[in-house]
Amino acid sequence: MSRAAILARPELPSLVFLILLVAALSVTTPSFFTIPNLQAVLEQVVVVSIVALAVNQVILSEQIDISTGSLVAVCAFVYGNIALTVGGSWVPLLGALATGAFVGLVNGVLSTYGRVSSIITTMGMLFALRGAVLLAAGAQVLNLPPESRIFGLGEAFGVPISIIVLVVVFALMGVVSRHTVFGRNVYAVGGNDRAARTVGLPLNQVRLMTLVLSGLSCGLAAAVLLGQIGQLQATAATGFELKVIAAVVLGGTSITGGRGSNLAPVVGAVLVGVILNALTLNRVPGIFELFVLGVLILAAVSFDGLRTRLTDRRR
Amino acid sequence: MAEPMTASGVSGEAPAFAVRGLGKHFGGIHACREIELEFRAGEVLAILGENGAGKSTTVKCLHGLYQPDEGQVEVSGRAVHFRSPRDAEAAGISMIPQELDLFPDLSIAENLFLGQKRPRRPWGGFDQRAMNRQAREVMAALGVDVDVTAPVKTFSAATGRLVEIARALNRDARLIIMDEPTAALTEKETENLFEVIRRLKAAGVSIIYITHRLNECFTISDRIVVMRDGRLIRSGPAEEFTIGSLVDAMVGRPLETLYSRHSRPIGDVVFEVRGLTLGNVFSNVDFEVRSGEVLGVSGLIGSGRSEMAQAIYGIAPADRGEIIVDRKSVDVRSVSDALASGIAYLPEERRSQGLILPFTIAANMSLSVLALFSRLGFVNRKLEDGFASESARRFTVTGAALSSPVENLSGGNQQKVLIAKVLALDPKVVILDEPTRGVDVGAKSEVYRIIDDLAARNKAIVVISSEMNEVMSISDRIIVMHEGRISGRFTRDEFSQQAIGAAAAGQRLHHAA
Amino acid sequence: MDVPRAADFLRSFRPSRTTGLFVLFVVEIALISAAVPGYFSVYGLLDASRQFVEAGIIALGMTLVIITGGIDLSVGSLLALVSVTIGFGMDAGLPLWLAILAGMGVGTLCGFFNGVMVTALRLHPLVVTLGTFALFRGIAFAVSGAGAVSNFPAWFGVFGQTTIGGLVPVQLVFFVVLAAAFAIMLARTRFGRYVYAIGNNEVTARFSGLDTDRAKIAIYTLTGWLVSIAAVIHTSRISSARANAGFVLELTVIAMVVLGGTRITGGSGTILGTVMGVLILSYLQDGLLFAGVRSDWGLVVVGAFLIVGVFINEFFRKETR
């Protein structure tokens, strides 16, 4: 890769910022750069990253998915109930994935062939699914047996399974976006949809697929999340969609589609995780979390906006 | 290679591609109708016609972007229905569209391979190296040596145009539609393109070639069809035509009755531009226009003509330079500054920059001057309608009520609504960017009459145009732009197609400043 | 031009969308009244308006925002921030009237901030207001420390708890007046014309000399101001200021606007349509609640209406070039 190409990488600014931040924290906050703390940060980041990797594709194709918070809750509900009746981890996982994929498909069909823009579809879904899970689960609090929590608690070769899951998803998404027609089309559709139509790309299929992918990722994330917390509540993952979008945008993927990378959502998620962790370590009250998240999103998009304005000016 | 074709293309087998009785209308206006065309393997068919003759609509139906309302497209003698360009591409039809239509953030190689089969490595992944190599080869055939891994947005418009051509060549198309492929190319690049077209012909590919440059179609085409006002007017082997007969067929009446130009007194300098510069888009543009004078601006697409005009109009103001109206230097930082200084601009993109299509005729005409018809922020509809009906009379907008949306109007009437809107403030300086794009011949002559009339009212007029005949017929002087600079200045007795064309390509013939 | 006259003639008989929505509303009330004994009474219907006036007032501004092709996700959070400003301002020793003014100022300023971010940096309103969605509520939480203030003096109830003539809730009057003012503004003024112009074609608007940035900033500021009014009513109605006020309010408001026929992609929409959207959605929720259906159904209904409303708007549109 040429130097110019590296400098043009969308996730570069946030990566540099992340490295500087980690360096600064290591110096100022002694408890930060320790193995247990870093592992704790990573485990928290996993759930957001998994979904962010998929939502990244949705945003690249010039759509958005804000239903992920409720969908994760629904998938967790499915996972938990199958786990309680059937037991194990794999059958519940399949159930959660199927649920996620199905809802993603509905989102996708409505947003493409149904001509409802994805923001509306997924916003409606955010409501409807949360309502549904509240109705179905109510005040029920479900405790999962350890055998059903391997995606959250299990370890393989001394590495938490959740982190392995993330690495696998990341690698898989990398291959999909570099080496499949679908993956390449996502960038094209989001970059210029008129041109995509002119060269005969299947716009609707591509966009639909990204939303299915996003649904699938919610199923997987639900399995990890439920494994980590071990307890099912109807209000689980409220506001999760915000963290996901923040991760994608913070990482450097452009909200207007077509420009971004696979690394971006992970960098963004880690950045959010590290900042929130730093707040905790420095005993900043938890109620500032939302405030910080808001500032972060605004700072990231302003930076992106300024950068495009400046580059446009030069041309 | 297939055997030589006759005008009607009659031979034993069915033609590779054909359109039969094709028609398409938009809101009651026929953009084209009763189009019969056959495309044989290894043949270049030139489609000629003035702006708005229906050429682009016809080929967009063929490429699946529009669905025809009448008639059909046939592939190898069988009727097909293309729901989108995807279907057309699958049937072997590829298109180089008129507008630049690329993926700016993606590399040249990526642009060439989108929607196209890619080379793969043994393990199943894409072979990026092979793709880059192939991309370099296709670009090299067009005579360009560039870094194919760099994003398209880092290149000039002319290179972008070549990428677009390369994209069509990189697919295994059996019919390639080229809609004004040379509009942004220099002579050398055009020569390279012709060489490629000859190779494609030899390989049995059919080509539809749409152009405004009449001499090009004698160089490259086997057969010519002429369209006018949405219909096929004439067709035949290229040899049967001369430039004169082509122009007659395109215009449908003697040229002298198309253009209006009365001799009139030319007054003092009203409008001056000195050293106008914007980044690397255009630099050091100087010119002056006198009252009652029409200054033509010629140049290739992407030469900075429109950007220069839009800088004067305050859309994207210049970095440096001076704009002088009536001997007073004016500081234009926004459109309202320009309007207040008496500068008006008719944008080249009528539908996306000029009009608000769902708005009524009256609301469009009054949009820039609504303050004149408002009191305390409330719009006085009576005053507004009065103004609109007077404008409609003056600019002969016919056939629709003032309360009907402009999207239902024909291109010509839409253009007249736009002219009325632009002139609503009675400006001193009028800049018209492609004023006859997409209008029929009748409306065209009316637009020329309006321009002539403006000159008679002592306005300073600048007309930007890609049509050589047009700019030569209505201008008193012409300036030519090339790569953001003025590359030639001509007074009326120096006008010639060759000299202006050479200046547009950046070459200097024997020219006197 | 050969536009068939017969079609024009027929079109004049086709009911407008707003008329259709009105009929839908009447049918809805009739159905609920028939299905749920004891539901229908003038007092009951008027009293129910307390539940929707806040969303309805904000929906007026949201209509303008969406017509210009934007969106404002921050309104629910902003309502919380204004409410907290009022409550904790008073708690900190400000006279209540001054606290109210301060809250209104904060709300309007936050709307202005949204507008500036959207225009000055050419950012997508979706991300900007997503950011301020988190930011405003974050500030509200930070200021309030997740506590609540509810020791308001009795007179503060005037905005949200009193009625006129024992029948019409005060806030309904606010809503009607504001709705009428916005309807007139959108339909009759220059500003209203510019709103539609920007929504249909911002480029043309700019080429026509309109200051599109200023108009957009005005619209977001106006929305912030409306949110402030809604926040005053809300705080007065529940007599409590806390940072979780207005939760998912933004979605309800958007659902109302879209149901009322405003296109989510901008360009068209009316205040009267929005008012119908407000009524239909609110009385449906109210009816369900009255019938003893669990309140969680409300979320499902809003979600479904949002999608179905846009689907009806978009799917049956004629495609144009």
Side-chain angles (χ1 to χ4, degrees), chain B residues 341-495:
Chain B
S341 318
I343 302 171
Y345 172 66
L346 180 126
E348 73 182 309
E349 301 288 341
R350 178 169 66 234
R351 307 174 69 91
S352 64
Q353 301 173 331
L355 297 172
I356 294 183
L357 295 174
F359 271 25
T360 63
I361 294 177
N364 268 290
M365 285 177 171
S366 67
L367 191 58
S368 297
V369 290
L370 214 47
L372 300 180
F373 314 118
S374 316
R375 269 185 73 186
L376 303 169
F378 284 82
V379 178
N380 184 329
R381 293 265 176 87
K382 222 179 226 166
L383 286 178
E384 186 189 7
D385 286 344
F387 159 77
S389 60
E390 194 193 302
S391 294
R393 239 192 331 275
R394 179 175 161 205
F395 297 106
T396 60
V397 178
T398 50
L402 292 174
S403 59
S404 54
V406 292
E407 63 197 344
N408 292 348
L409 300 182
S410 68
N413 271 319
Q414 284 183 354
Q415 192 70 357
K416 285 187 268 179
V417 171
L418 180 55
I419 291 175
K421 175 191 160 195
V422 168
L423 298 179
L425 267 176
D426 196 27
K428 300 188 191 85
V429 180
V430 186
I431 306 171
L432 306 163
D433 200 346
E434 301 285 2
T436 59
R437 175 175 286 184
V439 307
D440 59 39
V441 173
K444 218 167 187 175
S445 112
E446 285 182 78
V447 171
Y448 298 135
R449 189 186 50 70
I450 293 169
I451 294 173
D452 193 43
D453 182 52
L454 285 172
R457 290 166 184 240
N458 297 321
K459 308 291 183 200
I461 300 160
V462 179
V463 177
I464 301 172
S465 172
S466 298
E467 280 195 50
M468 195 75 90
N469 283 330
E470 173 174 292
V471 78
M472 285 175 43
S473 302
I474 63 174
S475 310
D476 297 299
R477 283 185 299 123
I478 292 177
I479 58 173
V480 184
M481 287 186 73
H482 171 73
E483 289 182 352
R485 290 167 186 278
I486 293 184
S487 58
R489 297 169 194 271
F490 303 89
T491 54
R492 200 159 169 82
D493 51 338
E494 297 165 339
F495 288 180

